[in-house]
Every structure is written in structure tokens, then in C-alpha cells.
Coordinates of all heavy atoms in Angstrom, one line a residue:
M190 N 0.3 10.9 26.3 CA 0.9 10.1 25.2 C 0.1 8.8 25.0 O 0.0 8.3 23.9 CB 2.4 9.9 25.5 CG 3.0 9.1 24.4 SD 3.2 10.0 22.9 CE 4.0 8.9 21.9
L191 N -0.4 8.2 26.1 CA -1.1 7.0 26.1 C -2.4 7.1 25.3 O -2.8 6.3 24.5 CB -1.4 6.4 27.5 CG -2.1 5.1 27.5 CD1 -1.3 4.0 26.9 CD2 -2.5 4.8 29.0
V192 N -3.1 8.2 25.6 CA -4.4 8.4 24.9 C -4.2 8.6 23.4 O -4.9 8.1 22.5 CB -5.1 9.7 25.5 CG1 -6.4 10.0 24.7 CG2 -5.5 9.4 26.9
E193 N -3.1 9.4 23.0 CA -2.8 9.6 21.6 C -2.4 8.3 21.0 O -2.8 8.0 19.8 CB -1.7 10.6 21.5 CG -2.1 12.0 21.7 CD -1.0 13.0 21.6 OE1 0.2 12.6 21.6 OE2 -1.3 14.2 21.4
S194 N -1.6 7.4 21.7 CA -1.3 6.1 21.1 C -2.5 5.3 20.8 O -2.6 4.6 19.8 CB -0.3 5.4 22.0 OG 0.9 6.1 22.2
L195 N -3.4 5.3 21.7 CA -4.7 4.5 21.5 C -5.5 5.1 20.3 O -6.1 4.4 19.6 CB -5.5 4.6 22.8 CG -5.0 3.8 24.0 CD1 -5.9 4.0 25.2 CD2 -4.9 2.3 23.6
A196 N -5.4 6.4 20.2 CA -6.1 7.1 19.0 C -5.4 6.6 17.7 O -6.0 6.4 16.7 CB -6.0 8.6 19.2
F197 N -4.0 6.5 17.7 CA -3.3 6.1 16.6 C -3.7 4.6 16.2 O -3.8 4.3 15.0 CB -1.8 6.2 16.8 CG -1.3 7.6 17.0 CD1 -0.2 7.8 17.8 CD2 -2.0 8.7 16.6 CE1 0.3 9.1 18.1 CE2 -1.5 10.0 16.8 CZ -0.4 10.2 17.6
V198 N -3.8 3.8 17.2 CA -4.2 2.4 17.0 C -5.6 2.3 16.4 O -5.8 1.6 15.5 CB -4.1 1.6 18.3 CG1 -4.7 0.3 18.2 CG2 -2.6 1.4 18.7
L199 N -6.5 3.1 16.9 CA -7.8 3.1 16.4 C -7.8 3.6 15.0 O -8.6 3.1 14.1 CB -8.7 4.0 17.3 CG -10.2 4.1 17.0 CD1 -10.8 2.7 17.1 CD2 -10.9 5.1 17.8
I200 N -7.1 4.6 14.6 CA -7.0 5.1 13.3 C -6.4 4.0 12.4 O -7.0 3.8 11.3 CB -6.1 6.4 13.2 CG1 -6.8 7.6 13.8 CG2 -5.7 6.7 11.8 CD1 -6.0 8.8 14.0
G201 N -5.4 3.3 12.8 CA -4.9 2.3 12.0 C -5.9 1.1 11.7 O -6.0 0.6 10.6
L202 N -6.6 0.8 12.8 CA -7.6 -0.3 12.6 C -8.7 0.1 11.7 O -9.2 -0.7 10.9 CB -8.1 -0.7 14.0 CG -7.2 -1.4 14.9 CD1 -7.8 -1.6 16.3 CD2 -6.7 -2.7 14.3
V203 N -9.2 1.3 11.8 CA -10.2 1.8 11.0 C -9.8 1.9 9.5 O -10.5 1.5 8.6 CB -10.7 3.2 11.4 CG1 -11.6 3.9 10.4 CG2 -11.5 3.1 12.7
T204 N -8.5 2.4 9.3 CA -8.0 2.4 7.9 C -7.9 1.1 7.3 O -8.2 0.8 6.2 CB -6.6 3.1 7.9 OG1 -6.7 4.4 8.5 CG2 -6.1 3.3 6.5
G205 N -7.3 0.1 8.1 CA -7.2 -1.2 7.5 C -8.5 -1.9 7.3 O -8.7 -2.5 6.2
L206 N -9.5 -1.8 8.2 CA -10.8 -2.4 7.9 C -11.5 -1.7 6.8 O -12.2 -2.4 6.0 CB -11.6 -2.2 9.2 CG -11.3 -3.2 10.3 CD1 -12.2 -2.9 11.5 CD2 -11.6 -4.6 9.8
T207 N -11.4 -0.4 6.6 CA -12.0 0.3 5.5 C -11.4 -0.2 4.2 O -12.1 -0.4 3.2 CB -11.8 1.8 5.6 OG1 -12.3 2.2 6.9 CG2 -12.4 2.6 4.5
A208 N -10.1 -0.4 4.1 CA -9.5 -0.8 2.9 C -9.9 -2.3 2.6 O -10.2 -2.6 1.4 CB -7.9 -0.8 3.0
L209 N -10.0 -3.1 3.6 CA -10.4 -4.5 3.3 C -11.9 -4.6 3.0 O -12.3 -5.5 2.2 CB -10.1 -5.4 4.5 CG -8.6 -5.7 4.7 CD1 -8.4 -6.4 6.1 CD2 -8.0 -6.5 3.6
L210 N -12.7 -3.8 3.6 CA -14.2 -3.9 3.3 C -14.6 -3.2 2.0 O -15.5 -3.6 1.3 CB -15.0 -3.4 4.5 CG -14.8 -4.2 5.8 CD1 -15.6 -3.5 6.9 CD2 -15.4 -5.6 5.6
A211 N -13.9 -2.1 1.7 CA -14.3 -1.3 0.6 C -13.8 -1.9 -0.7 O -14.5 -1.9 -1.7 CB -13.8 0.1 0.7
L212 N -12.6 -2.4 -0.7 CA -11.9 -3.0 -1.9 C -11.3 -4.3 -1.6 O -10.0 -4.4 -1.7 CB -10.9 -2.0 -2.5 CG -11.4 -0.6 -2.8 CD1 -10.3 0.4 -3.1 CD2 -12.3 -0.7 -4.1
P213 N -12.0 -5.3 -1.3 CA -11.4 -6.6 -0.9 C -10.6 -7.2 -2.1 O -9.6 -7.9 -1.8 CB -12.5 -7.5 -0.5 CG -13.7 -6.9 -1.2 CD -13.5 -5.4 -1.3
A214 N -11.0 -7.0 -3.3 CA -10.3 -7.6 -4.4 C -8.9 -6.9 -4.7 O -8.0 -7.5 -5.3 CB -11.1 -7.5 -5.7
Y215 N -8.7 -5.7 -4.2 CA -7.5 -5.0 -4.4 C -6.4 -5.4 -3.4 O -5.2 -5.1 -3.6 CB -7.7 -3.5 -4.3 CG -8.3 -2.9 -5.5 CD1 -9.2 -3.5 -6.3 CD2 -7.9 -1.6 -5.8 CE1 -9.7 -2.9 -7.4 CE2 -8.5 -0.9 -6.9 CZ -9.4 -1.6 -7.7 OH -9.9 -1.0 -8.8
F216 N -6.7 -6.2 -2.4 CA -5.8 -6.6 -1.4 C -5.7 -8.1 -1.3 O -6.2 -8.7 -0.4 CB -6.1 -6.0 0.0 CG -6.1 -4.5 0.0 CD1 -7.2 -3.7 -0.2 CD2 -4.9 -3.9 0.2 CE1 -7.1 -2.4 -0.2 CE2 -4.8 -2.5 0.3 CZ -5.9 -1.7 0.0
P217 N -4.9 -8.7 -2.3 CA -4.8 -10.2 -2.3 C -3.9 -10.7 -1.2 O -4.0 -11.9 -0.9 CB -4.3 -10.5 -3.7 CG -3.5 -9.2 -4.1 CD -4.3 -8.1 -3.4
A218 N -3.1 -9.8 -0.7 CA -2.2 -10.3 0.4 C -3.1 -10.6 1.6 O -4.3 -10.2 1.7 CB -1.2 -9.2 0.8
G219 N -2.6 -11.2 2.6 CA -3.4 -11.6 3.8 C -4.0 -10.4 4.5 O -3.5 -9.3 4.4
R220 N -5.1 -10.7 5.2 CA -5.7 -9.6 6.0 C -4.8 -9.1 7.1 O -4.8 -7.9 7.4 CB -7.0 -10.2 6.6 CG -8.0 -10.5 5.6 CD -9.3 -11.0 6.3 NE -10.2 -11.5 5.3 CZ -11.2 -12.2 5.6 NH1 -11.5 -12.6 6.9 NH2 -12.1 -12.6 4.7
A221 N -4.0 -10.0 7.6 CA -3.1 -9.6 8.7 C -2.0 -8.7 8.2 O -1.7 -7.7 8.9 CB -2.4 -10.9 9.3
L222 N -1.6 -8.8 7.0 CA -0.6 -7.9 6.4 C -1.2 -6.5 6.2 O -0.6 -5.5 6.5 CB 0.0 -8.5 5.1 CG 1.0 -7.6 4.4 CD1 2.3 -7.5 5.2 CD2 1.3 -8.2 3.0
T223 N -2.4 -6.5 5.7 CA -3.0 -5.2 5.4 C -3.3 -4.5 6.7 O -3.0 -3.3 6.9 CB -4.3 -5.4 4.6 OG1 -4.0 -6.1 3.4 CG2 -5.0 -4.1 4.3
M224 N -3.9 -5.2 7.7 CA -4.2 -4.6 9.0 C -2.9 -4.2 9.7 O -2.9 -3.1 10.3 CB -5.0 -5.6 9.9 CG -6.4 -5.8 9.3 SD -7.4 -4.4 9.3 CE -7.5 -4.0 11.1
G225 N -1.9 -5.0 9.7 CA -0.6 -4.7 10.3 C 0.0 -3.5 9.7 O 0.6 -2.7 10.4
T226 N 0.0 -3.4 8.4 CA 0.6 -2.2 7.7 C -0.1 -1.0 8.1 O 0.5 0.1 8.4 CB 0.6 -2.4 6.2 OG1 1.3 -3.6 5.9 CG2 1.2 -1.2 5.5
A227 N -1.5 -1.0 8.1 CA -2.2 0.2 8.5 C -2.0 0.6 10.0 O -1.8 1.7 10.3 CB -3.7 -0.1 8.3
L228 N -1.9 -0.4 10.8 CA -1.7 -0.2 12.3 C -0.3 0.4 12.5 O -0.2 1.5 13.2 CB -1.9 -1.5 13.0 CG -1.8 -1.4 14.5 CD1 -3.0 -0.6 15.1 CD2 -1.8 -2.8 15.1
V229 N 0.7 -0.2 12.0 CA 2.1 0.3 12.2 C 2.3 1.6 11.6 O 3.0 2.5 12.1 CB 3.1 -0.8 11.7 CG1 4.5 -0.2 11.7 CG2 3.1 -2.0 12.5
A230 N 1.7 1.8 10.4 CA 1.9 3.1 9.7 C 1.2 4.3 10.5 O 1.8 5.4 10.6 CB 1.3 3.1 8.3
A231 N 0.1 4.0 11.1 CA -0.6 5.0 11.9 C 0.2 5.3 13.1 O 0.3 6.5 13.5 CB -2.0 4.5 12.3
L232 N 0.7 4.3 13.8 CA 1.5 4.5 15.0 C 2.8 5.3 14.7 O 3.1 6.3 15.3 CB 1.9 3.2 15.6 CG 0.8 2.5 16.5 CD1 1.2 1.1 16.8 CD2 0.6 3.3 17.7
L233 N 3.5 4.9 13.7 CA 4.8 5.6 13.3 C 4.5 7.0 12.8 O 5.3 7.9 13.2 CB 5.6 4.8 12.3 CG 6.2 3.5 12.8 CD1 6.9 2.8 11.6 CD2 7.2 3.7 13.9
G234 N 3.5 7.1 12.0 CA 3.2 8.5 11.5 C 2.8 9.4 12.6 O 3.1 10.6 12.7
G235 N 1.9 8.9 13.5 CA 1.5 9.7 14.6 C 2.5 10.1 15.6 O 2.6 11.2 16.0
V236 N 3.4 9.1 15.9 CA 4.5 9.4 16.9 C 5.5 10.4 16.3 O 5.9 11.3 16.9 CB 5.1 8.1 17.4 CG1 6.4 8.4 18.1 CG2 4.2 7.3 18.2
T237 N 5.8 10.2 15.0 CA 6.7 11.1 14.3 C 6.1 12.5 14.3 O 6.8 13.5 14.5 CB 7.0 10.6 12.9 OG1 7.5 9.3 13.0 CG2 8.0 11.5 12.2
A238 N 4.8 12.6 13.9 CA 4.2 13.9 13.9 C 4.1 14.6 15.2 O 4.2 15.8 15.4 CB 2.8 13.8 13.2
R239 N 3.9 13.8 16.3 CA 3.8 14.3 17.6 C 5.1 15.0 18.0 O 5.1 16.1 18.6 CB 3.4 13.3 18.6 CG 3.2 13.8 20.0 CD 2.9 12.7 21.0 NE 2.5 13.1 22.3 CZ 3.2 13.8 23.2 NH1 4.4 14.2 22.9 NH2 2.7 14.2 24.3
F240 N 6.2 14.3 17.7 CA 7.5 14.8 18.1 C 7.9 16.0 17.2 O 8.5 16.9 17.6 CB 8.6 13.7 18.1 CG 8.5 12.8 19.3 CD1 8.2 11.5 19.1 CD2 8.7 13.3 20.6 CE1 8.1 10.6 20.2 CE2 8.5 12.5 21.6 CZ 8.3 11.1 21.5
A241 N 7.5 15.9 15.9 CA 7.8 17.0 15.0 C 7.1 18.3 15.3 O 7.6 19.4 15.2 CB 7.6 16.6 13.6
L242 N 5.8 18.1 15.7 CA 5.0 19.3 16.1 C 5.1 19.6 17.6 O 4.4 20.5 18.0 CB 3.5 19.0 15.7 CG 3.3 18.8 14.2 CD1 1.8 18.4 14.0 CD2 3.6 20.0 13.4
D243 N 5.9 18.9 18.3 CA 6.1 19.2 19.7 C 4.9 19.0 20.6 O 4.7 19.6 21.6 CB 6.7 20.5 19.9 CG 7.8 20.6 20.9 OD1 8.3 19.5 21.3 OD2 8.2 21.7 21.4
G244 N 3.9 18.2 20.1 CA 2.7 17.9 20.8 C 1.7 19.1 21.0 O 0.8 19.0 21.7
R245 N 1.9 20.1 20.2 CA 1.1 21.3 20.3 C -0.2 21.2 19.5 O -1.2 21.9 19.8 CB 1.9 22.5 19.8 CG 3.1 22.9 20.7 CD 3.7 24.1 20.2 NE 5.0 24.3 20.9 CZ 6.0 25.0 20.5 NH1 5.9 25.7 19.3 NH2 7.0 25.2 21.2
Y246 N -0.2 20.5 18.5 CA -1.4 20.4 17.6 C -1.9 19.0 17.5 O -1.6 18.2 16.5 CB -1.0 20.9 16.2 CG -0.4 22.3 16.2 CD1 1.0 22.5 16.0 CD2 -1.2 23.4 16.4 CE1 1.5 23.7 16.1 CE2 -0.7 24.7 16.4 CZ 0.7 24.8 16.3 OH 1.2 26.1 16.3
P247 N -2.7 18.5 18.4 CA -3.2 17.1 18.4 C -4.0 16.8 17.2 O -4.0 15.7 16.7 CB -3.9 17.0 19.7 CG -4.2 18.4 20.2 CD -3.2 19.3 19.6
A248 N -4.8 17.8 16.7 CA -5.7 17.5 15.5 C -4.8 17.2 14.3 O -5.1 16.3 13.5 CB -6.6 18.6 15.3
A249 N -3.7 18.0 14.1 CA -2.8 17.8 13.0 C -2.1 16.5 13.1 O -1.8 15.8 12.2 CB -1.8 19.0 12.9
T250 N -1.7 16.1 14.4 CA -1.0 14.9 14.6 C -1.9 13.7 14.2 O -1.5 12.8 13.6 CB -0.7 14.8 16.1 OG1 0.2 15.9 16.4 CG2 0.1 13.5 16.4
L251 N -3.2 13.8 14.6 CA -4.1 12.7 14.2 C -4.3 12.7 12.7 O -4.4 11.6 12.1 CB -5.5 12.9 14.9 CG -5.4 12.7 16.4 CD1 -6.8 13.0 17.0 CD2 -5.0 11.3 16.8
A252 N -4.4 13.8 12.0 CA -4.5 13.9 10.6 C -3.3 13.3 9.9 O -3.4 12.5 8.9 CB -4.7 15.3 10.1
V253 N -2.1 13.6 10.4 CA -0.9 13.0 9.8 C -0.9 11.5 10.0 O -0.5 10.7 9.1 CB 0.4 13.7 10.4 CG1 1.6 12.9 10.0 CG2 0.4 15.1 9.9
S254 N -1.3 11.0 11.1 CA -1.4 9.6 11.4 C -2.3 8.9 10.4 O -2.0 7.9 9.9 CB -1.9 9.4 12.8 OG -2.1 8.0 13.1
A255 N -3.5 9.5 10.2 CA -4.4 8.9 9.2 C -3.9 8.9 7.8 O -4.1 8.0 7.1 CB -5.8 9.7 9.3
L256 N -3.2 10.0 7.4 CA -2.7 10.1 6.1 C -1.6 9.1 5.9 O -1.5 8.4 4.8 CB -2.1 11.5 5.9 CG -1.6 11.8 4.5 CD1 -2.7 11.8 3.5 CD2 -0.9 13.2 4.5
C257 N -0.7 8.9 6.9 CA 0.4 7.9 6.7 C -0.2 6.5 6.6 O 0.3 5.7 5.8 CB 1.3 8.0 7.9 SG 2.4 9.5 7.9
S258 N -1.2 6.3 7.4 CA -1.8 4.9 7.4 C -2.5 4.7 6.1 O -2.3 3.6 5.5 CB -2.8 4.8 8.5 OG -3.4 3.6 8.6
A259 N -3.2 5.6 5.5 CA -3.9 5.4 4.2 C -2.8 5.3 3.1 O -3.0 4.4 2.2 CB -4.8 6.6 4.0
L260 N -1.8 6.1 3.1 CA -0.8 6.0 2.0 C 0.0 4.7 2.0 O 0.2 4.1 1.0 CB 0.1 7.2 2.1 CG -0.4 8.6 1.7 CD1 0.6 9.7 1.9 CD2 -0.9 8.6 0.3
L261 N 0.4 4.3 3.2 CA 1.2 3.1 3.2 C 0.3 1.8 3.0 O 0.8 0.8 2.5 CB 2.0 3.0 4.5 CG 3.2 3.9 4.6 CD1 3.9 3.8 5.9 CD2 4.1 3.6 3.5
T262 N -0.9 1.9 3.4 CA -1.8 0.8 3.1 C -2.1 0.7 1.6 O -2.2 -0.4 1.1 CB -3.1 0.9 3.9 OG1 -2.8 1.0 5.3 CG2 -4.0 -0.3 3.7
S263 N -2.2 1.8 1.0 CA -2.5 1.8 -0.5 C -1.3 1.2 -1.3 O -1.5 0.8 -2.4 CB -2.8 3.2 -1.0 OG -1.6 4.0 -1.0
V264 N -0.1 1.2 -0.7 CA 1.0 0.6 -1.4 C 0.7 -0.9 -1.6 O 1.2 -1.5 -2.6 CB 2.3 0.8 -0.6 CG1 3.5 0.0 -1.2 CG2 2.6 2.3 -0.6
L265 N 0.0 -1.5 -0.7 CA -0.3 -3.0 -0.9 C -1.4 -3.3 -1.9 O -1.6 -4.4 -2.3 CB -0.8 -3.5 0.5 CG 0.2 -3.5 1.6 CD1 -0.5 -3.9 2.9 CD2 1.4 -4.3 1.3
A266 N -2.1 -2.3 -2.3 CA -3.2 -2.5 -3.3 C -2.7 -3.0 -4.6 O -1.7 -2.5 -5.1 CB -4.0 -1.2 -3.5
R267 N -3.4 -4.0 -5.2 CA -3.0 -4.6 -6.5 C -4.2 -4.5 -7.4 O -4.9 -5.5 -7.5 CB -2.5 -6.0 -6.3 CG -1.3 -6.2 -5.5 CD 0.0 -5.7 -6.3 NE 0.0 -6.2 -7.6 CZ 0.7 -7.3 -8.0 NH1 1.3 -8.0 -7.1 NH2 0.7 -7.6 -9.3
P268 N -4.6 -3.4 -8.0 CA -5.8 -3.3 -8.8 C -5.6 -4.2 -10.1 O -6.6 -4.6 -10.7 CB -5.9 -1.8 -9.2 CG -4.6 -1.3 -8.9 CD -3.9 -2.1 -7.8
D269 N -4.4 -4.5 -10.5 CA -4.2 -5.3 -11.7 C -4.6 -6.7 -11.5 O -4.9 -7.5 -12.4 CB -2.7 -5.2 -12.2 CG -1.8 -5.7 -11.1 OD1 -2.1 -5.5 -9.9 OD2 -0.7 -6.2 -11.5
L270 N -4.7 -7.2 -10.2 CA -5.1 -8.5 -9.9 C -6.6 -8.6 -9.5 O -7.1 -9.7 -9.2 CB -4.3 -9.1 -8.7 CG -2.8 -9.2 -9.0 CD1 -2.1 -9.8 -7.8 CD2 -2.5 -10.1 -10.2
A271 N -7.3 -7.5 -9.5 CA -8.7 -7.5 -9.1 C -9.5 -8.3 -10.2 O -9.1 -8.4 -11.3 CB -9.2 -6.1 -9.1
A272 N -10.6 -8.9 -9.7 CA -11.4 -9.7 -10.6 C -11.9 -8.8 -11.7 O -12.4 -7.7 -11.6 CB -12.6 -10.2 -9.8
G273 N -11.9 -9.4 -12.9 CA -12.4 -8.8 -14.1 C -11.5 -7.9 -14.8 O -11.8 -7.3 -15.8
R274 N -10.2 -7.8 -14.3 CA -9.3 -7.0 -15.0 C -8.1 -7.9 -15.5 O -7.5 -8.6 -14.8 CB -8.7 -5.9 -14.1 CG -9.7 -5.0 -13.5 CD -9.1 -3.9 -12.8 NE -9.0 -2.7 -13.6 CZ -8.4 -1.6 -13.3 NH1 -7.7 -1.6 -12.2 NH2 -8.4 -0.6 -14.1
A275 N -7.9 -7.8 -16.8 CA -6.8 -8.6 -17.4 C -5.5 -7.8 -17.2 O -5.5 -6.5 -17.4 CB -7.1 -8.8 -18.9
P276 N -4.4 -8.4 -16.9 CA -3.1 -7.7 -16.8 C -2.7 -7.1 -18.2 O -2.9 -7.8 -19.2 CB -2.2 -8.7 -16.3 CG -2.8 -10.0 -16.6 CD -4.2 -9.8 -16.7
A277 N -2.2 -5.9 -18.2 CA -1.8 -5.3 -19.4 C -0.3 -5.7 -19.7 O 0.5 -5.5 -18.8 CB -1.9 -3.8 -19.3
H278 N -0.1 -6.3 -20.8 CA 1.3 -6.7 -21.2 C 1.9 -5.6 -22.0 O 1.2 -5.0 -22.9 CB 1.3 -8.0 -22.0 CG 0.8 -9.1 -21.1 ND1 1.6 -9.6 -20.1 CD2 -0.3 -9.8 -21.1 CE1 0.9 -10.6 -19.5 NE2 -0.3 -10.8 -20.1
R279 N 3.1 -5.3 -21.8 CA 3.8 -4.3 -22.5 C 4.5 -4.8 -23.8 O 5.0 -4.1 -24.6 CB 4.8 -3.6 -21.6 CG 4.1 -2.9 -20.5 CD 5.1 -2.4 -19.5 NE 5.2 -1.0 -19.6 CZ 6.1 -0.3 -19.0 NH1 7.0 -0.8 -18.2 NH2 6.0 1.0 -19.0
H280 N 4.7 -6.1 -23.8 CA 5.5 -6.7 -24.9 C 4.6 -7.3 -26.0 O 3.4 -7.5 -25.7 CB 6.4 -7.7 -24.4 CG 5.7 -8.9 -23.8 ND1 5.1 -8.8 -22.5 CD2 5.5 -10.2 -24.2 CE1 4.5 -10.0 -22.3 NE2 4.8 -10.8 -23.2
R281 N 5.1 -7.5 -27.1 CA 4.4 -8.1 -28.2 C 4.1 -9.6 -27.9 O 4.9 -10.2 -27.2 CB 5.1 -7.9 -29.5 CG 5.2 -6.5 -29.9 CD 5.9 -6.4 -31.2 NE 6.8 -5.3 -31.2 CZ 7.8 -5.1 -32.0 NH1 8.1 -6.0 -32.9 NH2 8.5 -4.0 -31.9
P282 N 3.1 -10.1 -28.5 CA 2.9 -11.6 -28.4 C 4.1 -12.3 -28.9 O 4.8 -11.9 -29.9 CB 1.6 -11.9 -29.2 CG 1.0 -10.5 -29.5 CD 2.1 -9.5 -29.3
H283 N 4.4 -13.5 -28.3 CA 5.5 -14.3 -28.7 C 5.3 -14.9 -30.1 O 4.2 -15.5 -30.3 CB 5.8 -15.4 -27.7 CG 6.9 -16.2 -28.0 ND1 8.2 -15.8 -28.0 CD2 6.9 -17.5 -28.4 CE1 9.0 -16.8 -28.4 NE2 8.2 -17.9 -28.6
R284 N 6.2 -14.7 -31.0 CA 6.2 -15.4 -32.3 C 7.2 -16.5 -32.2 O 8.4 -16.3 -31.8 CB 6.5 -14.4 -33.4 CG 5.4 -13.4 -33.5 CD 5.8 -12.4 -34.6 NE 6.8 -11.5 -34.0 CZ 7.9 -11.0 -34.6 NH1 8.1 -11.3 -35.9 NH2 8.7 -10.2 -34.0
P285 N 6.9 -17.7 -32.7 CA 7.9 -18.8 -32.7 C 9.1 -18.4 -33.6 O 9.0 -17.9 -34.7 CB 7.2 -19.9 -33.4 CG 5.7 -19.6 -33.3 CD 5.6 -18.1 -33.2
G286 N 10.3 -18.6 -33.0 CA 11.5 -18.3 -33.7 C 11.9 -16.8 -33.7 O 12.9 -16.4 -34.3
A287 N 11.2 -16.0 -33.0 CA 11.5 -14.6 -33.0 C 12.8 -14.3 -32.2 O 13.4 -13.3 -32.4 CB 10.3 -13.8 -32.4
H288 N 13.1 -15.1 -31.2 CA 14.2 -14.8 -30.4 C 15.5 -15.3 -31.0 O 16.6 -15.0 -30.5 CB 14.0 -15.4 -29.0 CG 13.9 -16.9 -29.0 ND1 12.8 -17.6 -29.4 CD2 14.9 -17.9 -28.7 CE1 13.0 -18.9 -29.3 NE2 14.2 -19.1 -28.9
R289 N 15.4 -16.1 -32.0 CA 16.7 -16.6 -32.7 C 17.3 -15.6 -33.6 O 16.6 -14.9 -34.3 CB 16.3 -17.9 -33.4 CG 15.8 -19.0 -32.6 CD 15.6 -20.2 -33.4 NE 14.8 -21.2 -32.6 CZ 14.1 -22.1 -33.1 NH1 13.9 -22.2 -34.5 NH2 13.4 -22.9 -32.4
R290 N 18.5 -15.5 -33.5 CA 19.2 -14.6 -34.4 C 19.7 -15.4 -35.7 O 20.2 -16.6 -35.5 CB 20.4 -14.0 -33.8 CG 20.0 -13.0 -32.7 CD 21.2 -12.4 -32.1 NE 20.7 -11.5 -31.0 CZ 21.5 -10.7 -30.3 NH1 22.8 -10.7 -30.6 NH2 21.0 -10.0 -29.3
H291 N 19.7 -14.7 -36.8 CA 20.1 -15.4 -38.0 C 21.7 -15.4 -38.0 O 22.3 -14.3 -37.9 CB 19.6 -14.7 -39.2 CG 19.9 -15.3 -40.5 ND1 21.1 -14.9 -41.2 CD2 19.4 -16.3 -41.2 CE1 21.2 -15.7 -42.2 NE2 20.2 -16.5 -42.3
R292 N 22.2 -16.5 -38.1 CA 23.7 -16.6 -38.2 C 24.1 -17.1 -39.6 O 23.7 -18.1 -40.0 CB 24.2 -17.6 -37.2 CG 24.0 -17.2 -35.7 CD 24.6 -18.2 -34.8 NE 24.3 -17.9 -33.4 CZ 24.5 -18.7 -32.4 NH1 25.1 -19.9 -32.6 NH2 24.2 -18.3 -31.2
P293 N 24.9 -16.3 -40.2 CA 25.4 -16.7 -41.5 C 26.3 -17.9 -41.4 O 27.1 -18.0 -40.5 CB 26.1 -15.5 -42.1 CG 26.3 -14.5 -41.0 CD 25.4 -15.0 -39.8
A294 N 26.2 -18.8 -42.3 CA 27.0 -20.0 -42.3 C 28.4 -19.8 -42.8 O 28.8 -19.0 -43.5 CB 26.3 -21.1 -43.0

């Protein structure tokens, strides 16, 4: 279990570093948050998969750990805040007086 835990930690660190180095503009949150999320997701995903698979398939356990780490790290990605991308607004531009309702006197 100790060797697998170290493998899960390594998977989490690699996932977090890959996310930060490949797409740094997509992760405006702190580096510690991104790395921590990747690390904890890899540990939890790996331990859960180990118990679910009863420790019989270590390759599948490592794959589940990597998948959980990548998916939960991607939740932090903010492509709308990346440089060069304007946020898309769903509402119409504000017109002066548009919010007032006409009240008959």
C-alpha cells in the first residue's frame, strides 16, 4: 500500500505540473490550489479504486488515479479568463432607462 500511495502522489504531482506548465493562463488560481487539487484527487481516486478493485489490478488502479486527478484538476480551469479571450455576455447591452417600467399617472 505504501508503494501505491507514493505512486498516487507522483501521479498527482505530474498531473498538477502538467496542467500548470501546459496551460498556465487557464489556471488563475494559485499554484498551491492547483497542485493540491491534483494531489488529493489522485490519492482519493487511487485509494478508492484500490479498495473497489480489491487490489487485484494495480495498472487499472493507477489509471483511475490519473483519470480522477486530471478530471478534478480540469474543474479549476478558467479558459474564459485566459489572455486574449473576451468574456461572452449573454445579455444585451445596457440601454439607459431600459430597466424602468412605465407607470401610468
Side-chain angles (χ1 to χ4, degrees):
M190 180 70 181
L191 180 65
V192 174
E193 287 179 341
S194 297
L195 291 174
F197 300 151
V198 168
L199 185 63
I200 287 171
L202 291 174
V203 168
T204 304
L206 282 174
T207 302
L209 288 174
L210 293 176
L212 300 167
Y215 279 33
F216 295 95
R220 292 179 188 166
L222 179 65
T223 304
M224 291 298 294
T226 301
L228 185 66
V229 170
L232 280 169
L233 289 177
V236 169
T237 304
R239 184 184 191 293
F240 286 117
L242 297 173
D243 221 15
R245 294 182 187 161
Y246 305 104
T250 303
L251 294 175
V253 169
S254 173
L256 183 67
C257 288
S258 181
L260 288 177
L261 287 178
T262 303
S263 72
V264 171
L265 298 175
R267 294 289 311 266
D269 58 330
L270 297 180
R274 298 186 103 190
H278 294 289
R279 299 171 107 187
H280 63 288
R281 293 183 219 160
H283 179 67
R284 292 176 286 140
H288 64 280
R289 297 183 193 154
R290 294 184 182 184
H291 183 268
R292 294 183 186 171

